[in-house]
Amino acid sequence: MKVQVSRISDEGFFQNFSDKDPWAKKKFEEAFQEHWKKGEPLQGFLKIQKTGANLSFTGELTLDYHGTCDRCLVPFVIPMKVQSQRWMAPLKESQRQRDIEASEDVELSAEDVNFSFYKSNEIDLGEMLVEQTFLDLPMVFLCQPACKGLCKVCGGNLNEKDCQCEEKQRMKESPFRILGKLDVKR
């Protein structure tokens, strides 16, 4: 959804949306492909307040993200509630030139991440929501916090059954394996 900055009234801009809105459906299908299924719920709201030329953007959306567990490779669904807040100011030509000339690495604070500039009279709110959704994804996808993963030998899912392969493999590779053949009586 693209919004013209000049058309945002003093009262602000407010919009509810869902997967029934063509712009939301298209934006999330393109961005998340097989990770968000057509026909599954996607809903939220967008709110923009304008103070002079500066904007305050607030948004929230809920969706089911389809991921694959990084340990056991089982597909599972992550219910997500993404909240976004961003402040925006118009980018002036002098700032743009300064940004181009600055080649130093700069560490950003949490406040810096929620602040950005807009270059034209049009802002793509869908892009901002997709970006925030990507940022809210977990670094590691786990079907459950205590996921046991896969057996290193046979590849079986250790969440479904206990596997003795690893112990057998260790015994085969151990330099002490010969001791297992000794018949020692105490």
Side-chain angles (χ1 to χ4, degrees), residues 9 18 25 30 33-34 44 47 82 106 142 149 158 160 167:
S9 69
S18 74
K25 182 178 179 180
E30 288 173 359
Q33 299 170 8
E34 73 274 1
K47 180 180 175 185
V82 179
V106 178
L142 296 178
L158 297 174
E160 295 173 358
E167 186 62 38

Side-chain angles (χ1 to χ4, degrees), residues 139-150:
M139 295 292 286
V140 177
F141 290 98
L142 296 178
C143 60
Q144 57 184 332
C147 178
K148 296 176 184 176
L150 300 175

Side-chain angles (χ1 to χ4, degrees), residues 69-93:
C69 182
D70 288 336
R71 289 186 188 159
C72 68
L73 305 178
V74 171
F76 71 105
V77 176
I78 304 168
M80 294 184 67
K81 185 173 188 174
V82 179
Q83 296 183 336
S84 180
Q85 188 165 11
R86 186 174 295 183
W87 294 271
M88 302 177 82
L91 181 65
K92 297 181 175 101
E93 196 58 41

Side-chain angles (χ1 to χ4, degrees), residues 76-158:
F76 71 105
V77 176
I78 304 168
M80 294 184 67
K81 185 173 188 174
V82 179
Q83 296 183 336
S84 180
Q85 188 165 11
R86 186 174 295 183
W87 294 271
M88 302 177 82
L91 181 65
K92 297 181 175 101
E93 196 58 41
S94 61
Q95 290 170 318
R96 185 177 300 167
Q97 187 61 34
R98 212 178 9 217
D99 291 344
I100 292 169
E101 292 170 359
S103 61
E104 298 177 29
D105 289 337
V106 178
E107 186 173 331
L108 297 176
S109 69
E111 294 168 351
D112 294 333
V113 174
N114 291 331
F115 181 83
S116 62
F117 293 100
Y118 63 92
K119 297 175 188 172
S120 66
N121 187 42
E122 190 173 76
I123 298 174
D124 189 342
L125 299 175
E127 281 297 319
M128 289 173 45
L129 287 170
V130 165
E131 178 183 303
Q132 189 62 49
T133 304
F134 274 120
L135 291 172
D136 279 14
L137 288 172
M139 295 292 286
V140 177
F141 290 98
L142 296 178
C143 60
Q144 57 184 332
C147 178
K148 296 176 184 176
L150 300 175
C151 173
K152 297 173 189 169
V153 178
C154 71
N157 187 338
L158 297 174

